[in-house]
Amino acid sequence: MALVSATEMLNKAREGQYAVGAFNTNNLEWTKAILVGAEAAKSPVLIQTSMGAAKYMGGYKVCYELVKNLIDSMGITVPVALHLDHGDYEAALECIEIGYTSVMFDGSHLPFEENMEKAKDVIAKAHAKGVSVECEVGSIGGEEDGIIGSGELADPKECKLIADLGVDFLAAGIGNIHGSYPANWTGLSFETLSAIADITGGHLPLVLHGGSGIPVEQVKKAISLGVSKINVNTECQEVFAAATRKYIEEGKDLQGKGFDPRKLLEPGTTAVTELVKQRIEWFGSTGKA
């Protein structure tokens, strides 16, 4: 199946009160792991590259060709969108031209008027090529490729202004953070989420960033209030590292050709696939392809 825009899959999720998982990739193994998990679960999926991960992998064109060709060679039948995660203005425009089917323009750290102006331009250029667009209001806590947010709560009125530009789905700060959640985290602000869902018309798909570490009960409540896309990255990193560490600590890299990277990376890759399948089940998108 060819790469698709994320608009249709997320609109269906919003109507059906489930969410689609958006999993960040960092290399060949992770990309395959995400695809295997989504195909096994018969779920639509977004594969995301941050600006930093794309640079590490060799550039946006490499990422695009990798995902596109793996979908073909692996015989993937579920809808897959290739999404730029937390892209700045220049990165968003570059990915639109290269072939990404979905982009996030993150102007949340800019003055609001500038965020609006650049978002409007990105949306126009993306929609001209059938590419879906995500924008952000109210920065997400933690750090994502140099964009640092304090975890502020988004202003619903600002969310309405961005929504009215024609954005396909909206990320809004509701107390969520990137990375691991601290012990004193007070949870998601469902009051803010409800206000944003209401003021944007009750149908716009909303996005939950920092999906790693949020208790499943809060995840499901967020979905019931309009969250249709949930980003997962840190947990994938954690299970990959833990499985790789276990393989080495057990000395398996010293047994036969256990040092072969194909064997060395297999436990971590499998762990990512299992996490993807579990999170898809949490989000309710199993069998929704």
Side-chain angles (χ1 to χ4, degrees):
M1 186 173 186
L3 281 166
V4 299
S5 158
T7 302
E8 182 178 355
M9 67 170 74
L10 294 186
N11 284 339
K12 286 182 177 179
R14 185 69 170 89
E15 291 176 17
Q17 288 204 319
Y18 61 89
V20 178
F23 302 92
N24 288 59
T25 188
N26 293 283
N27 58 24
L28 169 69
E29 283 75 21
W30 283 45
T31 307
K32 289 173 65 178
I34 296 166
L35 290 171
V36 169
E39 183 70 22
K42 297 303 175 188
S43 169
V45 70
L46 290 93
I47 294 181
Q48 305 189 143
T49 64
S50 65
M51 293 191 297
K55 182 179 180 180
Y56 170 78
M57 293 171 69
Y60 297 113
K61 186 170 177 57
V62 172
C63 298
Y64 167 72
E65 294 293 346
L66 173 65
V67 176
K68 179 172 70 82
N69 290 326
L70 279 176
I71 288 171
D72 182 50
S73 64
M74 294 172 66
I76 300 300
T77 63
V78 300
V80 181
L82 175 58
H83 182 73
L84 170 66
D85 188 27
H86 288 284
D88 60 22
Y89 176 72
E90 291 77 14
L93 296 186
E94 182 178 352
C95 287
I96 290 167
E97 290 302 314
I98 282 174
Y100 274 54
T101 56
S102 186
V103 297
M104 176 187 186
F105 164 61
D106 183 359
S108 62
H109 57 292
L110 301 172
F112 185 70
E113 290 302 321
E114 185 179 353
N115 187 5
M116 283 270 293
E117 180 184 349
K118 289 185 173 178
K120 184 177 181 179
D121 188 54
V122 170
I123 290 168
K125 289 180 168 66
H127 286 180
K129 290 183 174 290
V131 176
S132 55
V133 181
E134 172 184 349
C135 292
E136 182 173 320
V137 179
S139 62
I140 310 302
E143 180 179 351
E144 185 84 6
D145 283 345
I147 297 177
I148 301 173
S150 59
E152 64 193 58
L153 300 179
D155 182 341
K157 293 179 182 178
E158 291 185 350
C159 291
K160 168 68 171 169
L161 291 171
I162 292 288
D164 287 347
L165 296 176
V167 70
D168 298 290
F169 34 105
L170 179 68
I174 56 170
N176 43 327
I177 66 172
H178 291 121
S180 301
Y181 283 80
N184 62 349
W185 181 61
T186 56
L188 299 176
S189 173
F190 295 113
E191 181 180 356
T192 303
L193 178 58
S194 294
I196 293 167
D198 289 343
I199 201 170
T200 55
H203 57 79
L204 180 68
L206 302 176
V207 182
L208 181 62
H209 282 249
S212 297
I214 298 176
V216 63
E217 297 80 12
Q218 292 195 37
V219 168
K220 290 184 176 180
K221 184 171 182 179
I223 292 171
S224 74
L225 294 173
V227 164
S228 309
K229 171 180 179 277
I230 301 179
N231 289 16
V232 180
N233 183 25
T234 299
E235 284 179 315
C236 289
Q237 295 176 341
E238 290 172 342
V239 299
F240 184 89
T244 305
R245 183 184 306 110
K246 183 173 183 288
Y247 180 87
I248 293 174
E249 287 179 345
E250 291 177 351
K252 292 182 179 179
D253 58 317
L254 303 176
Q255 299 172 13
K257 289 192 174 182
F259 54 82
D260 186 321
R262 289 170 292 181
K263 295 182 178 180
L264 180 65
L265 299 176
E266 183 179 0
T269 303
T270 300
V272 172
T273 292
E274 292 306 308
L275 179 72
V276 167
K277 290 191 291 186
Q278 183 190 67
R279 290 298 175 266
I280 285 173
E281 183 177 353
W282 276 25
F283 305 159
S285 67
T286 302
K288 301 296 186 180

